[in-house]
Amino acid sequence: MSVRTYVRSPAALAWTLAALVGIGVTVAAGWELAVVLASSSAIADAAVLGDLGAVVLAAVVLAAVGTVSAAVWLPCAAAIAYAVGRRVRGQRVSVATTLNAVRARSEPLYRWAKTTVAVGPLADRLLTENDTAPAEIAAGCGGFVLPAIVLDAASLPAAVDRANRVVPRPGRERIQIGGLAGTAALAAGGWGLGTAVGGPVAVRSVVATLPPSPSLLVAGTVVGLVVTAALDAAWRAGVYAASDSDDAFRR
């Protein structure tokens, strides 16, 4: 049901496209960062870091790309959850409406982002009394906090309370596994197409030029992962929005 609702929501599809563009640009910039770092003396000179040069390069690039991609994805996921959740509840929303909803919930979304990364010793440093400790979220209910924020709750504690009242349902794993299988197929197809095209054809990024095989493989992987994450966000929003028929549960 949630997947069909997602496909029929122009706002959710538009925010998925926005996420694709933003994360695609981030990955391209990450490639440029890798090119710059690979030419630096610390990485390229074996006498400086030795065999650790490649490890340091990969760690720095992955950390930078992952952090920026997460920052790009969070508001897009919130907008997708809002669009799908509202449609499940019988209301259609526009892109502008979803943008306003995400802006209005920027503070609890920021606190939720802190909660998701506050693992172990980081919790004492990052979380304050206005945040929610990860231990306060019921098992299996963490995925419903984001839709609770954008659909109903004005604060993170209230969103966690509502999310903890949702009974998890089967089906999410099927979407995730299917999405990962589709991602693998897109990546393999991109690699095969790039190999078939071969020769002088290349995809130009910000500064450097990528050969076709790796570039299309990366593009297929990004598309597959973003669409999978969007379908997962839509599923969680649909389950949350339909989880309680009591009007007191809704804003």
Side-chain angles (χ1 to χ4, degrees), residues 177-225:
I177 293 174
L180 291 178
T183 299
L186 285 173
W191 178 269
L193 179 61
T195 302
V197 173
V201 179
V203 176
R204 181 166 296 278
S205 58
V206 181
V207 176
T209 299
L210 299 177
S213 294
S215 62
L216 292 179
L217 182 150
V218 172
T221 301
V222 170
V223 171
L225 291 178

Side-chain angles (χ1 to χ4, degrees), residues 223-241:
V223 171
L225 291 178
V226 170
V227 172
T228 299
L231 290 173
D232 180 66
W235 183 90
R236 290 182 283 116
V239 171
Y240 171 84

